[in-house]
């Protein structure tokens, strides 16, 4: 079977988000980490594949090159349509990378029109009259105007995108969207004939996004946040394969945490308070050459194999500041990532078959250490936090990669103790 849709996400968490959305729409979906190459393989029978890049804040030419490489690879897997996933708050600089990447993907595909919609109604992101709202505020009045990397001080999407492309940008407003699929298809065609290349569409609800999806199945390149991708996913005929997932039925369960985000610290406290075995890694001791990995593995071997364990480097803001003052921020992070990556390999070799990893960078370190390039996306334990399935040297693994602030406070305990 060949892919129906391929996605390119401009950051890793966005990749997980859109992969979970496609899976919710009933598509058997794989998630690929980083630019794939000839040796990157997909799990069998996928309907959709998402390539998660780090191209949101990189120089535009790098973002374009990585996105084009991902598009070529998706085409080799049969994807007729490519979806460019960016943030639901349109995070970008005044000159990119949303415009340059979309234009490059369209040029490569020979496309002359595309539709954009960054709405994500469950998260309060809606588009009305071409203006992006975050709950009841315009984007430019919301806290996103103070974002450290991409401060968003304008909410008018036609204006924002026009600054990032030399092509024409226009709006299909909600009065058309509410008329349904045919009306949107006709409006896109009319815009294309008028020389518009980027069409922005209003959307207030998931139903609006389903209309947009059904209207744009034939476009080679489409773009937006996870909601529009889910709308497209619903428009493709369901294969019913999303349920046949290779959940490993034997083996131990573990959490490895490297995130110092407030929510992860709460999840660690919840796990500890439940009385489950947990171990804090001494990062400073590891830096002085103590065999912290060996000690952690010896501790792991002594634990009751029926219980999930937690091993964490995560630290309170005070402790983190003290470690960083001594080792330097980059060196401290490198030490922790090396430590958790090595531990992940050893734990999987020792029979861990359900592994929850907390932290974006930490997840990158763990998947690299395990040699995992692509995973099949499974059920969400919490919004935006799906189980995934990976093949490793030591066997099949259920892997949950969690961005620091995601998941409810009881996620670790619940995800690892609930019977499947
Ligand atoms: P999040 O998703 O919460 O941002 P990340 O894993 O992306 O989490 O980032 C957390 C960073 O903090 C990682 O680079 C990790 O190596 C580093 N880190 C974790 N624990 C410690 C610690 N005890 N001392 C210093 N750095 C740490």
């Amino acid at each position: 079977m060949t892919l129906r849709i391929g996605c390119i996400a401009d950051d890793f968490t966005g990749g997980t988000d859109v992969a979970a959305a496609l899976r919710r729409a009933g598509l058997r979906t794989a998630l690929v980490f980083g630019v794939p190459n000839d040796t990157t393989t997909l799990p069998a029978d996928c309907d959709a594949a998402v390539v998660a890049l780090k191209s949101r804040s990189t120089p535009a030419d790098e973002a374009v090159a990585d996105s084009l490489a991902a598009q070529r690879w998706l085409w080799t897997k049969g994807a007729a349509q490519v979806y460019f996933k960016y943030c639901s708050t349109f995070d970008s600089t005044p000159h990119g990378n949303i415009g340059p990447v979309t234009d490059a993907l369209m040029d490569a595909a020979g496309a002359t029109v595309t539709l954009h919609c960054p709405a994500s109604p469950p998260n309060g992101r809606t588009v009305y009259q071409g203006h992006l709202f975050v709950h009841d505020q315009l984007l430019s009045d919301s806290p996103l105007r103070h974002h450290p990397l991409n401060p968003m001080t304008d909410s008018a999407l036609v204006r924002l995108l026009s600054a990032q492309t030399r092509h024409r940008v226009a709006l299909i407003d909600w009065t058309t969207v509410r008329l349904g699929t045919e009306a949107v298809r006709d409006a896109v065609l009319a815009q294309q004939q008028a020389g518009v290349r980027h069409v922005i569409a209003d959307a207030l609800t998931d139903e609006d996004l389903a209309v947009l999806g059904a209207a744009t199945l034939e476009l080679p390149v489409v773009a937006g946040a996870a909601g529009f991708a889910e709308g497209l996913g619903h428009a493709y005929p369901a294969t019913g394969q999303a349920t046949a997932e290779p959940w490993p039925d034997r083996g131990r369960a573990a959490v490895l945490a490297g995130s110092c985000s407030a929510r992860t610290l709460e999840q660690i406290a919840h796990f500890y308070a439940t009385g489950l075995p947990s171990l804090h890694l001494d990062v400073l001791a590891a830096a002085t050459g103590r065999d912290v990995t060996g000690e952690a593995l010896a501790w792991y071997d002594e634990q009751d194999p029926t219980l999930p364990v937690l091993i964490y480097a995560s630290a309170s803001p005070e402790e983190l500041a003290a470690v960083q003052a001594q080792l330097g921020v980059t060196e401290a992070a490198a030490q922790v990532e090396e430590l958790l990556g090595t531990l992940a390999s050893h734990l999987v070799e020792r029979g861990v078959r359900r592994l929850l990893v907390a932290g974006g960078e930490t997840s990158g370190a763990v998947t690299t250490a395990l040699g995992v390039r692509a995973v099949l996306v499974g059920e969400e334990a919490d919004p935006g936090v799906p189980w995934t399935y990976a093949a490793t040297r030591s066997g099949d693994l259920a892997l949950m990669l969690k961005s620091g602030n995601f998941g409810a406070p009881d996620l670790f305990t619940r995800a690892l103790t609930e019977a499947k």
Side-chain angles (χ1 to χ4, degrees):
M1 179 180 246
T2 58
L3 293 180
R4 290 146 189 263
I5 182 166
C7 261
I8 300 168
D10 69 354
D11 82 344
F12 272 40
T13 324
T16 309
D17 193 20
V18 71
L22 289 166
R23 196 242 178 223
R24 273 198 302 277
L27 301 187
R28 189 170 164 91
T29 303
L31 178 59
V32 179
F33 305 111
V35 179
N37 59 34
D38 295 346
T39 62
T40 314
T41 51
L42 284 175
D45 298 328
C46 287
D47 304 308
V50 177
V51 177
L53 299 178
K54 285 187 182 178
S55 56
R56 183 170 297 169
S57 308
T58 53
D61 52 349
E62 266 176 50
V64 163
D66 286 352
S67 305
L68 287 175
Q71 184 185 42
R72 281 192 296 273
W73 182 83
L74 288 164
W75 283 341
T76 66
K77 302 294 170 198
Q81 185 169 49
V82 169
Y83 187 88
F84 176 38
K85 155 71 173 74
Y86 47 75
C87 188
S88 61
T89 48
F90 210 77
D91 290 15
S92 49
T93 71
H95 308 293
N97 291 333
I98 294 176
V101 169
T102 315
D103 276 332
L105 295 174
M106 291 176 72
D107 285 342
T112 53
V113 72
T114 188
L115 191 105
H116 291 258
C117 187
S120 181
N123 301 318
R125 273 66 156 160
T126 55
V127 181
Y128 185 63
Q129 297 298 347
H131 285 69
L132 185 49
F133 286 82
V134 177
H135 299 286
D136 59 349
Q137 288 180 311
L138 283 167
L139 173 67
S140 49
D141 291 333
S142 79
L144 274 299
R145 71 186 186 279
H146 299 306
H147 189 281
L149 292 178
N150 317 107
M152 298 307 293
T153 54
D154 191 1
S155 313
L157 290 170
V158 171
R159 196 163 49 213
L160 278 168
L161 189 54
S162 294
Q164 299 184 23
T165 175
R166 59 192 174 80
H167 298 284
R168 284 183 59 195
V169 185
L171 174 71
I172 293 182
D173 72 16
W174 190 71
T175 52
T176 302
V177 176
R178 67 191 270 266
L179 295 178
T181 307
E182 284 305 312
V184 171
R185 208 178 276 140
D186 291 348
V188 171
L189 199 63
Q191 295 286 7
Q192 181 183 26
Q193 283 163 355
V196 170
R197 183 162 148 124
H198 296 272
V199 178
I200 306 240
D202 280 351
L204 303 181
T205 62
D206 286 337
E207 291 72 37
D208 293 339
L209 291 165
V211 165
L212 298 182
T216 55
L217 281 181
E218 305 299 322
L219 297 183
V221 177
V222 269
F228 179 23
E230 188 170 345
L232 281 159
H234 282 298
Y236 284 106
T239 60
Q241 289 174 332
T243 48
E245 284 155 0
W247 183 260
D249 57 357
R250 271 192 289 276
R252 293 178 64 172
V255 185
L256 284 175
S259 160
C260 302
S261 297
R263 180 45 62 87
T264 298
L265 297 179
E266 274 183 82
Q267 288 159 336
I268 291 171
H270 185 278
F271 191 95
Y272 181 80
T274 315
L276 291 167
S278 47
L279 177 73
H280 186 211
L281 296 171
D282 188 338
V283 179
L284 285 178
T288 60
R290 213 171 86 193
D291 182 14
V292 171
T293 307
E295 289 170 19
L297 291 172
W299 173 86
Y300 169 82
D301 289 339
E302 283 165 12
Q303 304 309 311
D304 178 346
T306 63
L307 297 179
V309 302
L310 162 67
I311 301 179
Y312 63 102
S314 314
S316 64
E318 302 75 42
E319 189 188 342
L320 181 64
V323 175
Q324 288 175 334
Q326 209 154 327
L327 301 180
V329 175
T330 319
E331 178 54 28
Q335 282 276 348
V336 172
E337 285 162 33
E338 159 82 25
L339 197 57
L340 292 173
T342 309
L343 275 173
S345 301
H346 284 292
L347 291 179
V348 174
E349 269 168 30
R350 279 168 147 79
V352 164
R353 290 294 171 268
R354 279 170 295 155
L355 180 63
L356 197 164
V357 184
E361 294 299 325
T362 308
S363 294
V366 167
T367 48
T368 304
L370 292 176
V372 169
R373 296 293 314 274
V375 294
L376 182 68
V377 179
E379 203 175 313
E380 283 169 294
D382 273 329
V385 193
W387 277 108
T388 70
Y389 304 96
T392 74
R393 291 179 285 270
S394 310
D396 285 347
L397 178 69
L399 187 62
M400 185 179 284
L401 304 171
K402 184 196 87 79
S403 163
N405 271 322
F406 277 34
D410 69 343
L411 173 69
F412 293 178
T413 326
R414 180 165 34 88
L416 293 179
T417 54
E418 260 176 12
K420 270 304 272 189

